[in-house]
Each structure stands twice: as structure tokens, then as C-alpha cells.
Amino acid sequence: MPKVFVFDHPLIQHKLTYIRDVKTGTKEFRELVDEVATLMAFEITREMPLEETEVETPVQLTKSKVLAGKKLGIVPILRAGIGMVDGILKLIPAAKVGHIGLYRDPETLKPVEYYVKLPADVAERDFILVDPMLATGGSAIEAVNSLKTRGATSIKFMCLIAAPEGVEALQKAHPDVDIYIAALDEKLNDHGYIVPGLGDAGDRLFGTK
Ligand code: PRP
Ligand code: URA
């Protein structure tokens, strides 16, 4: 089974409170999501493999470490996932960025795919799939399907807020995908919104309704 990691770092939890706050406007919301994405990227990369190299300091030649292993790909689920990309790129600027466009049909709550563009070397990359919200899990499941269909074999899913229903559904559909979240909320309401959640992530990020 995949593992679920809750990033309970005080800075992440503090900023998440203001992200949730209905009084937080678009500009501040966007800045806070960006900051939390950076902090989460720091935590999610903790296990990245290192290899030894040599470096000549002004004093002497010494052994030191550099990143090893597969290159990274970041894939936001459009729209709201876009809000997390720059924050991650601050720490991993060389990562390639793919995009998967999905929206949730408001009636059926089922995801509808409308756009996919990924790096050419999909099979050679470790992917971090990002979306602020994991609600029913339909969008994340479909996005992982899309990545796997195109050859991805290593995928982590990172979001700000998850509902228990979404975590369970994603775990069941994709037991190989570990899930990284800032908060596990209580439940979904009758409209498929996370309670207490933060409302509609895309609308709050982009100032739409
Ligand atoms: C939101 C959110 C996720 C999805 C989560 O996107 O950003 O992608 O809903 O819900 P699920 O787990 O039930 O699938 P939305 O469909 O509102 O599209 P948007 O980002 O374009 O606003
Ligand atoms: N999508 C959102 O943006 N918010 C929710 O609470 C659920 C799905």
C-alpha cells in the first residue's frame, strides 16, 4: 500500500491556516500557496539519493555530495495545480514541467481530461504530481492514469488538503503512489467539497467564480 505523509511542520501549518481563511484575498492566497509548495518540496525531496563527487575548495580537494538518481518532473493538474509549480521550482529549478488539464464535472463530479503535455523522457523521470485539493480523488486518479499510460513509473502525489475519501480512493486505484499532504480534513460535503477545506482552490487562486 502507498504511504500517506502529513507535513506537520509549524510553518506549513501556520500558512495553511491563512490559506483556509475566507478573508484571505487572491494575491495573498497565491503567495501563501507558493510558499507552502516550497516548504513541502523541501520535505518531499528529503529522501533524494546522493552520490559522492570531488570538489576543489580554495583550501584543498575534498569529497562531497551531489544529487544522483533519476531527474525530476513536476506535473500540475490544471488549473489549481499551477499555483504550486513556481514554489517547487525555487528548490528544483532544473525540473521539467508537464501539464495535465482536468476539470470536475459539477454534476457527476467525474474528471474530464482536456489537455496533456509531458516531457519526452517520461519513463526516465521521477514525477511529483501536484494539486492543492484531493477531494473525491477522481482527478488525481485520472492524472496518474494519464501519466502511467504515457510511460511514467515513479509518481508521488502532493497536495495541500485531502479528504479521507480521496486518500482512500487514490490508495486503492494506485497502490504504488505515495501521498504527501499538509492536512487531512474531516470529510466531503454533498457537493464534493472538502470540509472544512479552503473552498474552490482554482477560483481562490485566480480570482474567478
Ligand atoms: C479541483 C481541484 C482538483 C479537483 C479535486 O479542480 O483543483 O483538481 O477539484 O477534486 P476531486 O478529487 O473530487 O477530483 P476543479 O475540477 O475545480 O478544476 P479547476 O482547478 O480548473 O478549478
Ligand atoms: N476542489 C476544490 O477546489 N475544493 C474542494 O473542496 C474540492 C474540490
Side-chain angles (χ1 to χ4, degrees):
M1 275 312 258
K3 294 188 268 309
V4 181
F5 300 89
V6 182
F7 291 145
D8 57 359
H9 191 289
L11 285 175
I12 295 177
Q13 295 306 313
H14 174 85
K15 289 172 193 291
L16 189 60
T17 298
Y18 292 96
I19 288 173
R20 289 184 189 276
D21 191 337
V22 69
K23 295 190 293 304
T24 300
T26 304
K27 175 178 177 288
E28 202 188 345
F29 186 90
R30 204 180 284 143
E31 288 167 358
L32 286 163
V33 169
D34 180 77
E35 288 167 16
V36 170
T38 305
L39 293 166
M40 291 186 81
F42 185 73
E43 297 278 11
I44 207 171
T45 49
R46 191 174 284 283
E47 307 293 330
M48 276 172 103
L50 291 167
E51 64 187 8
E52 208 159 72
T53 187
E54 283 193 335
V55 63
E56 190 165 0
T57 78
V59 179
Q60 69 165 53
L61 193 66
T62 186
K63 290 192 194 321
S64 194
K65 304 269 173 61
V66 288
L67 291 172
K70 285 170 142 183
K71 294 189 173 139
L72 275 184
I74 301 163
V75 178
I77 301 178
L78 308 182
R79 285 178 303 168
I82 290 175
M84 299 174 74
V85 174
D86 284 351
I88 302 172
L89 287 175
K90 276 179 197 139
L91 295 190
I92 318 163
K96 294 258 167 74
V97 180
H99 294 87
I100 297 181
L102 291 172
Y103 69 87
R104 222 168 54 145
D105 183 292
E107 301 297 323
T108 65
L109 300 184
K110 297 275 177 261
V112 182
E113 188 176 274
Y114 60 86
Y115 184 77
V116 180
K117 185 81 180 174
L118 300 175
D121 52 353
V122 173
E124 276 87 63
R125 289 189 180 263
D126 289 327
F127 283 97
I128 305 176
L129 179 65
V130 297
D131 190 322
M133 310 304 277
L134 178 65
T136 64
S139 303
I141 290 168
E142 195 52 40
V144 174
N145 284 341
S146 207
L147 277 167
K148 287 185 175 174
T149 303
R150 290 164 177 83
T153 56
S154 167
I155 305 167
K156 292 178 163 74
F157 179 76
M158 181 171 120
C159 71
L160 300 185
I161 301 179
E165 294 90 332
V167 169
E168 196 184 328
L170 181 55
Q171 285 189 311
K172 199 164 161 211
H174 295 291
D176 55 319
V177 174
D178 289 342
I179 303 169
Y180 300 80
I181 62 184
L184 181 63
D185 274 11
E186 207 182 307
K187 59 177 182 182
L188 293 178
N189 68 15
D190 293 344
H191 305 287
Y193 274 81
I194 299 177
V195 179
L198 54 72
D200 187 304
D203 283 348
R204 295 200 61 194
L205 261 174
F206 296 109
T208 50
K209 261 260 168 7

